[in-house]
Amino acid sequence: MLHQHHRTAIHRPALGASLFLIGLCTWSATETPAAQSLTAQESALPNQPASQDSLAALLLNAQEMQAHGDLKGAIKTARQVLERQPNQTEARYLLATALEEAHDRDGAIKEYETIVIQAPDHLQSHFRLGLLYEQRGEHSAAIRAFSAVLRLNPEHVAARFNIGLAFRKAGDQDWAKRHFEVLLKQDPGHTGAHTTLGNIYYEQGNLAQAIEEYRAALAAEPGHPRARRNLALTLKRKGDLPQALAEYREALKIQNTDPTLHIEYAETLRSTGQKAEAAKAYQQALAVLPHTGDQLEMRTRVEAQLQELGVEGKK
């Protein structure tokens, strides 16, 4: 099985509008109750400066809470702002991102959806929606969200890559390929696009083109483990076992704690008659296989292979 690459390059940017610290007024001892009452009434009016200052202070507090990992406080404070000003996009975006960080995916989606209704050009909310829809397996919804991003910014690399992945998961390989090809015109060294294109070509039986894409990925990033591994698998399928073994050795230099990689290497060695080396590779697989119930079947298979080779596995 080929190993997929999902590089999303997702970083939540700083919130858009800058905020200013507002000096808070305190009551003086000489103020009369009547004066206090009048001031309180004035500050309760929604369009008074004191009200706006209070909202700004609340939003600043919410930002600071989120920055320090107090997601519960940030969510509560952002909601207080929205109770008084439901169309405050910055507060709603903060709420959505805090909910997402708190692993409330459905709650975050609801807030992002509200933002794109209120502010259709809010690019980052469309993008986050695309990622969250994809996590829920809603490929068509993800495609719509990423399409909205690309309408706003056709050069958005992460949206282009992720819409390609969404089309691929939806089963439309032609559209997936088109988006990856457009992306590679923008960013010729995008390893994720090259690797995923290689996977598509592999599945279509176009091994020569798959090898070309994997090599392009490795030219941009020689230490890319998935591209290296998938190149080895493709060379093996093509029948070029010496080159496949060379690529497996390179892959193991990058990622030597993956038992499956050791097993694939062992099987390739065995198919070339290198039984002693194959046994060593199987033993390496056992050494890194966790002693857990879900790995029992794989461990049993590896031990059976070692027995066939006349070698006892390490317990």
Side-chain angles (χ1 to χ4, degrees):
M1 178 182 294
L2 287 180
H3 296 265
Q4 307 295 330
H5 182 87
H6 298 279
R7 191 184 78 178
T8 57
I10 306 154
H11 299 284
R12 180 167 55 78
L15 295 173
S18 59
L19 295 171
F20 299 91
L21 284 170
I22 307 298
L24 298 179
C25 297
T26 58
W27 300 116
S28 70
T30 59
E31 285 180 331
T32 64
Q36 292 181 20
S37 177
L38 176 61
T39 307
Q41 289 174 6
E42 290 175 345
S43 67
L45 295 175
N47 294 321
Q48 293 297 315
S51 178
Q52 294 303 315
D53 291 351
S54 175
L55 288 177
L58 276 174
L59 188 51
L60 182 58
N61 286 341
Q63 288 178 318
E64 291 175 346
M65 289 174 184
Q66 186 180 27
H68 289 89
D70 181 5
L71 299 178
K72 185 176 180 180
I75 290 166
K76 180 180 178 180
T77 307
R79 283 179 170 150
Q80 289 174 351
V81 176
L82 292 169
E83 284 173 4
R84 298 170 66 178
Q85 199 171 81
N87 293 331
Q88 226 288 0
T89 301
E90 187 175 7
R92 196 168 296 279
Y93 183 71
L94 187 151
L95 174 58
T97 56
L99 287 167
E100 190 175 351
E101 289 180 50
H103 307 292
D104 184 354
R105 183 175 59 195
D106 293 342
I109 285 175
K110 181 180 177 182
E111 299 304 330
Y112 287 129
E113 287 175 338
T114 301
I115 292 172
V116 299
I117 291 171
Q118 294 176 344
D121 291 347
H122 199 279
L123 183 149
Q124 192 64 10
S125 289
H126 285 294
F127 181 70
R128 300 304 310 173
L129 272 174
L131 296 175
L132 293 174
Y133 287 143
E134 193 58 45
Q135 288 177 19
R136 290 204 308 200
E138 299 176 18
H139 307 311
S140 296
I143 289 167
R144 287 195 299 272
F146 292 131
S147 294
V149 176
L150 293 170
R151 282 194 297 272
L152 294 167
N153 178 10
E155 303 299 311
H156 197 291
V157 170
R160 183 72 67 184
F161 179 64
N162 280 283
I163 198 173
L165 292 178
F167 271 115
R168 177 158 162 73
K169 292 176 184 177
D172 192 335
Q173 306 305 323
D174 289 338
W175 269 106
K177 284 171 65 177
R178 290 182 193 182
H179 282 287
F180 292 133
E181 287 164 356
V182 170
L183 173 53
L184 287 170
K185 289 179 182 178
Q186 297 172 231
D187 182 3
H190 196 288
T191 56
H194 280 300
T195 302
T196 312
L197 266 177
N199 295 347
I200 292 171
Y201 285 123
Y202 178 94
E203 291 163 8
Q204 293 176 342
N206 189 344
L207 302 185
Q209 190 64 42
I211 289 169
E212 184 176 328
E213 293 297 339
Y214 295 139
R215 291 199 187 281
L218 291 167
E221 187 180 338
H224 194 283
R226 291 184 182 89
R228 184 72 65 183
R229 185 177 198 169
N230 289 357
L231 175 58
L233 283 168
T234 308
L235 289 164
K236 181 180 178 180
R237 181 177 169 185
K238 189 182 176 185
D240 190 347
L241 298 183
Q243 275 299 308
L245 287 170
E247 295 300 336
Y248 273 122
R249 292 186 190 104
E250 290 300 315
L252 286 165
K253 291 178 184 177
I254 303 165
Q255 193 176 39
N256 66 358
T257 59
D258 185 341
T260 305
L261 187 55
H262 285 286
I263 292 169
E264 290 172 3
Y265 178 49
E267 290 170 348
T268 309
L269 285 165
R270 191 173 181 181
S271 66
T272 62
Q274 301 179 62
K275 294 183 179 181
E277 291 300 316
K280 291 178 183 178
Y282 281 128
Q283 288 175 326
Q284 283 294 319
L286 283 179
V288 295
L289 260 172
H291 288 269
T292 55
D294 61 326
Q295 299 297 331
L296 180 60
E297 184 180 349
M298 183 180 289
R299 179 173 290 278
T300 302
R301 289 205 314 268
V302 172
E303 289 172 347
Q305 295 296 325
L306 281 169
Q307 287 178 1
E308 288 184 15
L309 293 169
V311 179
E312 185 177 349
K314 295 179 180 179
K315 302 298 182 183

